[in-house]
Coordinates of all heavy atoms in Angstrom, one line a residue:
G194 N 122.3 85.1 96.9 CA 122.0 84.3 98.2 C 121.0 83.1 98.0 O 120.9 82.7 96.9
W195 N 120.5 82.6 99.1 CA 119.5 81.6 99.2 C 119.8 80.3 98.3 O 119.6 79.2 98.9 CB 118.1 82.1 98.6 CG 117.6 83.1 99.5 CD1 117.8 83.3 100.8 CD2 116.6 84.1 99.1 NE1 117.0 84.3 101.3 CE2 116.3 84.8 100.2 CE3 116.0 84.5 97.9 CZ2 115.3 86.0 100.2 CZ3 115.1 85.4 97.8 CH2 114.8 86.2 99.1
Y196 N 120.3 80.4 97.1 CA 120.3 79.3 96.2 C 121.6 78.4 96.3 O 122.0 77.8 95.2 CB 119.9 79.7 94.9 CG 118.5 80.4 94.9 CD1 118.5 81.8 94.8 CD2 117.4 79.6 95.1 CE1 117.2 82.4 94.9 CE2 116.1 80.3 95.3 CZ 116.0 81.6 95.2 OH 114.9 82.3 95.3
G197 N 122.4 78.5 97.3 CA 123.7 77.7 97.3 C 123.5 76.3 98.0 O 122.4 75.7 97.8
Y198 N 124.5 75.9 98.6 CA 124.5 74.5 99.0 C 123.7 74.3 100.3 O 123.4 73.1 100.7 CB 125.8 73.9 99.2 CG 126.7 73.8 97.9 CD1 127.4 74.9 97.5 CD2 126.5 72.6 97.2 CE1 128.1 74.7 96.2 CE2 127.1 72.5 95.8 CZ 128.0 73.5 95.4 OH 128.6 73.4 94.3
E199 N 123.5 75.4 101.1 CA 122.8 75.3 102.3 C 121.4 76.0 102.4 O 121.4 77.2 101.7 CB 123.8 75.7 103.4 CG 125.1 74.8 103.5 CD 126.2 75.5 104.3 OE1 126.0 76.8 104.5 OE2 127.1 74.9 104.7
R200 N 120.6 75.6 103.3 CA 119.3 76.5 103.6 C 119.0 76.4 104.9 O 118.9 75.4 105.5 CB 118.2 75.7 102.6 CG 116.9 76.4 102.8 CD 115.6 75.6 102.3 NE 115.8 75.0 100.9 CZ 114.9 74.3 100.4 NH1 113.7 74.1 101.0 NH2 115.2 73.8 99.2
P201 N 118.6 77.6 105.5 CA 118.1 77.6 106.9 C 116.8 76.8 107.0 O 116.0 76.9 106.1 CB 117.9 79.2 107.1 CG 118.8 79.8 106.1 CD 118.8 78.9 104.9
S204 N 113.7 78.7 106.5 CA 113.4 79.5 105.3 C 112.2 78.9 104.6 O 112.1 77.7 104.4 CB 114.8 79.3 104.4 OG 114.6 80.2 103.4
P205 N 111.3 79.8 104.2 CA 110.1 79.3 103.5 C 110.4 78.5 102.2 O 111.3 78.9 101.4 CB 109.4 80.7 103.1 CG 110.0 81.7 104.0 CD 111.4 81.3 104.2
S206 N 109.8 77.3 102.0 CA 110.1 76.4 101.0 C 109.8 77.0 99.6 O 110.4 76.6 98.7 CB 109.3 75.1 101.3 OG 107.9 75.4 101.3
L208 N 110.5 79.7 98.3 CA 111.6 80.4 97.7 C 112.4 79.5 96.8 O 113.2 80.1 96.0 CB 112.4 81.0 98.8 CG 111.9 82.1 99.8 CD1 112.9 82.4 100.8 CD2 111.4 83.3 99.0
Y209 N 112.4 78.2 96.9 CA 113.3 77.3 96.2 C 112.5 76.5 95.3 O 113.1 75.6 94.5 CB 113.8 76.3 97.3 CG 114.5 77.1 98.4 CD1 113.9 77.4 99.5 CD2 115.9 77.7 98.3 CE1 114.5 78.2 100.6 CE2 116.5 78.3 99.3 CZ 115.8 78.6 100.4 OH 116.3 79.4 101.4
D210 N 111.2 76.9 95.1 CA 110.3 76.2 94.0 C 110.2 77.1 92.8 O 109.7 78.2 92.8 CB 108.9 75.9 94.7 CG 108.0 75.3 93.7 OD1 108.3 75.0 92.6 OD2 106.8 75.2 94.1
N246 N 120.7 74.7 87.3 CA 120.2 74.2 88.6 C 121.2 73.1 89.0 O 120.9 72.0 88.9 CB 118.8 73.7 88.7 CG 118.5 73.3 90.2 OD1 119.2 73.7 91.1 ND2 117.4 72.5 90.3
I248 N 122.6 72.6 91.8 CA 122.5 72.2 93.3 C 121.1 71.9 93.4 O 120.3 72.6 94.1 CB 122.9 73.4 94.2 CG1 124.3 74.1 93.8 CG2 122.9 72.9 95.7 CD1 124.7 75.2 94.6
P249 N 120.8 70.6 93.0 CA 119.3 70.4 93.1 C 118.9 69.9 94.5 O 117.7 69.8 94.7 CB 119.3 69.0 92.2 CG 120.6 68.5 92.1 CD 121.4 69.7 92.3
Y250 N 119.8 69.7 95.5 CA 119.5 69.4 96.8 C 120.4 70.3 97.7 O 121.5 70.6 97.4 CB 119.7 68.0 97.2 CG 118.8 67.0 96.5 CD1 119.1 66.5 95.3 CD2 117.6 66.7 97.1 CE1 118.2 65.6 94.6 CE2 116.7 65.8 96.5 CZ 117.0 65.3 95.2 OH 116.2 64.4 94.5
Q251 N 119.7 70.9 98.7 CA 120.4 71.7 99.7 C 120.4 71.1 101.1 O 119.4 70.5 101.4 CB 119.7 73.2 99.8 CG 119.8 73.9 98.5 CD 118.9 75.2 98.5 OE1 117.8 75.1 98.9 NE2 119.6 76.3 98.4
E252 N 121.5 71.3 101.9 CA 121.4 70.8 103.2 C 120.8 71.8 104.2 O 121.2 73.1 104.1 CB 122.9 70.4 103.7 CG 123.0 69.8 105.0 CD 124.3 69.3 105.4 OE1 125.3 69.4 104.5 OE2 124.4 68.6 106.5
L253 N 120.0 71.3 105.1 CA 119.3 72.2 106.1 C 120.2 72.5 107.2 O 121.0 71.6 107.7 CB 118.1 71.5 106.6 CG 116.9 71.3 105.6 CD1 115.8 70.6 106.2 CD2 116.4 72.7 105.1
L254 N 120.1 73.8 107.6 CA 120.9 74.3 108.8 C 119.9 74.7 109.9 O 118.8 75.2 109.6 CB 121.7 75.6 108.3 CG 122.7 75.5 107.1 CD1 123.3 76.9 107.0 CD2 123.7 74.5 107.4
R260 N 124.9 72.2 110.4 CA 124.4 71.4 109.6 C 123.5 70.3 110.2 O 123.8 69.7 111.2 CB 125.5 70.6 108.7 CG 126.3 71.6 107.9 CD 127.6 70.8 107.3 NE 128.4 71.8 106.6 CZ 128.2 72.0 105.3 NH1 127.2 71.5 104.6 NH2 129.1 72.9 104.7
T261 N 122.3 70.0 109.6 CA 121.5 68.9 110.2 C 121.7 67.6 109.6 O 121.2 66.5 110.1 CB 120.0 69.2 110.1 OG1 119.7 69.3 108.7 CG2 119.8 70.6 110.7
G262 N 122.3 67.6 108.4 CA 122.6 66.3 107.6 C 121.4 65.9 106.9 O 121.5 64.9 106.1
K263 N 120.3 66.7 106.9 CA 119.1 66.5 106.0 C 119.2 67.3 104.9 O 119.5 68.6 105.0 CB 117.9 66.8 106.9 CG 116.7 66.3 106.1 CD 115.3 66.7 106.9 CE 114.1 66.4 106.1 NZ 112.8 66.7 106.9
K264 N 118.9 66.7 103.7 CA 118.9 67.4 102.4 C 117.3 67.5 101.8 O 116.6 66.7 102.0 CB 119.8 66.8 101.4 CG 121.2 67.0 101.7 CD 122.1 66.6 100.6 CE 123.6 67.0 100.9 NZ 124.5 66.7 99.7
V265 N 117.2 68.7 101.2 CA 115.9 69.0 100.7 C 115.9 69.3 99.3 O 116.9 70.1 98.9 CB 115.0 69.9 101.4 CG1 114.6 69.5 102.8 CG2 115.8 71.2 101.6
P266 N 114.9 69.1 98.4 CA 115.1 69.4 96.8 C 115.0 70.9 96.7 O 114.2 71.6 97.4 CB 113.9 68.7 96.2 CG 113.1 68.5 97.3 CD 113.7 68.2 98.5
K267 N 115.6 71.4 95.6 CA 115.5 72.7 95.1 C 115.3 72.7 93.6 O 116.2 72.1 92.9 CB 116.8 73.5 95.4 CG 116.8 74.9 94.8 CD 118.1 75.7 95.1 CE 119.3 75.1 94.4 NZ 119.2 75.3 92.9
T268 N 114.3 73.3 93.1 CA 114.0 73.3 91.6 C 114.3 74.7 91.0 O 114.4 74.8 89.7 CB 112.6 73.0 91.2 OG1 111.7 73.9 92.0 CG2 112.3 71.5 91.7
A269 N 114.5 75.7 91.9 CA 114.9 77.1 91.4 C 116.3 77.1 90.9 O 117.2 76.5 91.5 CB 114.6 78.2 92.5
P270 N 116.7 77.8 89.9 CA 118.0 77.9 89.4 C 119.0 78.6 90.4 O 118.6 79.4 91.2 CB 118.0 78.8 88.0 CG 116.6 79.6 88.2 CD 115.8 78.6 89.1
D271 N 120.2 78.1 90.2 CA 121.3 78.7 91.1 C 122.3 79.5 90.4 O 123.2 80.0 91.0 CB 122.0 77.7 92.0 CG 122.3 76.4 91.2 OD1 123.0 76.6 90.1 OD2 121.8 75.3 91.5
G292 N 123.8 82.0 93.1 CA 123.2 81.8 94.5 C 124.3 81.4 95.4 O 125.4 80.9 95.2
G293 N 123.9 81.4 96.7 CA 124.7 80.9 97.8 C 125.7 82.0 98.4 O 125.7 83.2 97.9

Side-chain angles (χ1 to χ4, degrees):
W195 292 339
Y196 304 105
Y198 292 95
E199 300 164 341
R200 180 197 307 185
S204 188
S206 58
L208 294 177
Y209 309 92
D210 178 5
N246 183 19
I248 310 172
Y250 291 91
Q251 296 174 301
E252 185 169 2
L253 292 176
L254 304 178
R260 298 174 183 272
T261 64
K263 183 181 179 182
K264 291 192 173 185
V265 288
K267 174 181 72 65
T268 57
D271 44 61

